[in-house]
């Protein structure tokens, strides 16, 4: 469900950004606005990023092989990290450079009303993409805040698209403000100031994404809620006396590895132990469907019996 939702959000963003990029470049050629040029490059970067996200999903779908026995699910994390790098290096750095040059050497805008019209259309298209990403993200977000979703989601594409669209909308507002202030004051330096603001905004978003994708790349385990559900599933299994220890790791956005050592009742024969493990695995998968790779090690419960209980016995 999350993968198909991500794909719909990515395609919506790709189509919107491709059209927006073309319109912005036309606007830049007509007006000479640095903010319009920065926004045009921003849209080209976003379009390329969506293509990278789609490629990452395709790479992650490859079947496991001898070299990668757990599959290629983390490809989605890698390409999302590349997206953050591209956003920072091409989008943010270019806008900051262009803004700095236009503040130092302001250039008079020509036909600024054309820029305003193009930016207004771009805001409408970007809003469509943003609403699509919101709709696809809500089932995964649950009752938590949007910031919590961005920080804890194991799905890399939806947070990337959400932040890119948010940055694009704010960037368009900044570009509109820059063009508008340049028209009202007759001072084109505001266009350069707006461009610097766009670059700084993209830089903040890119750094945030790099931090989050780095964490996913090196390996994140179950969320607090998922960990609690897995523990309850194991401890609620017949013949399991307690959970000794557990480790979890996301192999990809939709696949979690669970390794646990469980204490079972003494005296069980091999068939009973095997049945207990099968039941425990079924309980885990019912509680957390993403837990697809499960390794359980049974052991005897060697917890010392308290003296008080021994005396009662």
């Amino acid at each position: 469900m999350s993968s198909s939702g991500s794909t719909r959000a990515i395609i919506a963003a790709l189509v919107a950004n491709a059209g927006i990029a073309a319109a912005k470049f036309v606007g830049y050629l007509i007006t000479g606005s640095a903010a319009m040029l920065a926004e045009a490059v921003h849209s080209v970067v976003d379009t390329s990023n969506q293509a990278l996200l789609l490629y990452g999903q395709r790479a992650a779908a490859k079947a496991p092989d001898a070299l990668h026995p757990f599959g290629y699910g983390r490809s989605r994390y890698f390409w999302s990290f590349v997206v953050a790098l591209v956003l920072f290096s091409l989008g943010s750095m270019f806008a900051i450079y262009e803004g700095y040059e236009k503040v130092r050497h302001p250039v008079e805008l020509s036909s600024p009303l054309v820029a305003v019209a193009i930016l207004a259309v771009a805001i409408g298209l970007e809003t469509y993409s943003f609403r699509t990403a919101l709709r696809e993200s809500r089932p995964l977000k649950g009752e938590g805040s949007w910031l919590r979703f961005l920080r804890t989601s194991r799905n890399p594409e939806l947070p990337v698209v959400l932040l890119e669209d948010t940055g694009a909308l704010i960037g368009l507002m900044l570009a509109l403000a820059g063009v508008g202030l340049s028209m009202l004051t007759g001072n084109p330096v505001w266009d350069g100031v707006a461009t610097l603001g766009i670059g700084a905004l993209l830089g903040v978003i890119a750094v945030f994404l790099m931090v989050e994708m780095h964490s996913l790349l090196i390996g994140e385990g179950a969320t607090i809620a998922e960990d609690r559900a897995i523990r309850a599933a194991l401890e609620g299994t017949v013949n399991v006396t307690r959970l000794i220890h557990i480790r979890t790791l996301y192999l990809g956005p939709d696949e979690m590895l669970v390794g646990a050592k469980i204490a079972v009742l003494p005296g069980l024969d091999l068939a009973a132990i095997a049945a207990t493990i099968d039941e425990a695995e079924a309980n885990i998968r019912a509680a957390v469907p993403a837990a697809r790779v499960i390794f359980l090690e049974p052991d005897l419960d060697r917890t010392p019996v308290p003296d008080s209980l021994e005396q009662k016995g």
Side-chain angles (χ1 to χ4, degrees), residues 268-281 298:
L268 294 179
D269 59 22
L270 183 59
I273 293 175
T276 299
I277 291 175
D278 290 342
E279 182 184 349
E281 290 181 353

Side-chain angles (χ1 to χ4, degrees), residues 12 24 29 36 48 63 66 83 87 102 140 143 170 212 233 239 255 272 301 304 311:
K24 287 176 182 175
L29 292 174
M36 183 68 79
S48 302
V83 162
L87 189 65
K102 288 300 185 289
L140 296 178
E143 299 299 323
I170 297 174
E212 293 303 315
N239 294 331
E255 185 174 38
D301 194 344
Q311 291 171 2

Side-chain angles (χ1 to χ4, degrees), residues 181-195:
L181 287 171
S182 297
M183 291 172 57
L184 291 173
T185 64
N187 187 354
V189 74
W190 288 109
D191 184 54
V193 171
T195 308

Side-chain angles (χ1 to χ4, degrees), residues 196-285:
L196 283 173
I198 293 168
L201 172 69
L202 295 181
V204 170
I205 291 174
V207 170
F208 179 88
L209 285 175
M210 281 190 279
V211 170
E212 293 303 315
M213 294 308 134
H214 170 259
S215 179
L216 289 170
L217 267 176
I218 63 176
E220 289 191 2
T223 63
I224 294 175
E226 289 170 337
D227 181 79
R228 189 181 299 120
I230 293 171
R231 289 174 182 272
L234 284 171
E235 292 168 349
T237 302
V238 176
N239 294 331
V240 174
T241 58
R242 69 184 180 94
L243 173 61
I244 299 174
H245 62 70
I246 183 173
R247 297 290 185 273
T248 59
L249 178 68
Y250 265 90
L251 303 173
D254 307 315
E255 185 174 38
M256 184 200 303
L257 181 150
V258 178
K261 190 170 186 177
I262 54 176
V264 298
L265 290 173
L268 294 179
D269 59 22
L270 183 59
I273 293 175
T276 299
I277 291 175
D278 290 342
E279 182 184 349
E281 290 181 353
N283 290 344
I284 292 172
R285 292 190 175 98

Side-chain angles (χ1 to χ4, degrees):
M1 181 185 71
S2 58
S3 204
S4 61
S6 299
T7 302
R8 284 190 292 269
I10 295 169
I11 292 175
L14 188 150
V15 172
N17 282 311
I20 292 170
K24 287 176 182 175
F25 273 117
V26 172
Y28 163 70
L29 292 174
I30 295 173
T31 65
S33 167
M36 183 68 79
L37 176 59
E39 274 299 299
V41 172
H42 177 192
S43 294
V44 170
V45 169
D46 282 353
T47 304
S48 302
N49 285 346
Q50 270 95 56
L52 289 175
L53 292 177
L54 289 173
Y55 178 79
Q57 286 191 335
R58 182 177 178 182
K62 290 174 61 177
D65 53 34
L67 188 60
H68 299 91
F70 289 107
Y72 291 80
R74 287 197 185 180
S75 293
R76 290 168 65 180
Y77 298 149
F78 172 77
W79 288 107
S80 296
F81 184 80
V82 171
V83 162
L85 290 176
V86 171
L87 189 65
F88 182 81
S89 59
L90 296 184
S92 175
M93 292 296 98
F94 176 82
I96 290 174
Y97 170 78
E98 189 67 21
Y100 174 74
E101 288 296 316
K102 288 300 185 289
V103 168
R104 289 185 61 202
H105 309 291
V107 177
E108 196 71 32
L109 302 184
S110 59
S111 305
L113 289 177
V114 174
V116 171
I118 290 174
L119 289 171
V121 172
I123 288 172
L125 291 173
E126 203 65 66
T127 299
Y128 159 74
S129 173
F130 181 68
R131 289 180 63 184
T132 302
L134 279 179
R135 184 176 65 249
E136 299 299 338
S137 300
R138 279 198 179 94
L140 296 178
K141 181 181 83 73
E143 299 299 323
S145 67
W146 283 107
L147 179 60
R148 181 177 178 81
F149 169 70
L150 294 174
R151 294 297 308 275
T152 63
S153 175
R154 302 305 188 259
N155 179 304
E157 296 93 0
L158 286 174
V160 169
V161 174
L162 271 174
L163 283 175
E164 279 190 347
D165 287 349
T166 301
L169 283 171
I170 297 174
L172 287 167
M173 297 295 183
L174 289 173
L176 195 58
V179 173
L181 287 171
S182 297
M183 291 172 57
L184 291 173
T185 64
N187 187 354
V189 74
W190 288 109
D191 184 54
V193 171
T195 308
L196 283 173
I198 293 168
L201 172 69
L202 295 181
V204 170
I205 291 174
V207 170
F208 179 88
L209 285 175
M210 281 190 279
V211 170
E212 293 303 315
M213 294 308 134
H214 170 259
S215 179
L216 289 170
L217 267 176
I218 63 176
E220 289 191 2
T223 63
I224 294 175
E226 289 170 337
D227 181 79
R228 189 181 299 120
I230 293 171
R231 289 174 182 272
L234 284 171
E235 292 168 349
T237 302
V238 176
N239 294 331
V240 174
T241 58
R242 69 184 180 94
L243 173 61
I244 299 174
H245 62 70
I246 183 173
R247 297 290 185 273
T248 59
L249 178 68
Y250 265 90
L251 303 173
D254 307 315
E255 185 174 38
M256 184 200 303
L257 181 150
V258 178
K261 190 170 186 177
I262 54 176
V264 298
L265 290 173
L268 294 179
D269 59 22
L270 183 59
I273 293 175
T276 299
I277 291 175
D278 290 342
E279 182 184 349
E281 290 181 353
N283 290 344
I284 292 172
R285 292 190 175 98
V288 181
R292 299 181 184 176
V293 182
I294 302 174
F295 298 102
L296 298 180
E297 179 185 355
D299 198 357
L300 295 179
D301 194 344
R302 296 183 176 87
T303 304
V305 179
D307 293 338
S308 59
L309 293 179
E310 284 186 350
Q311 291 171 2
K312 288 181 181 179

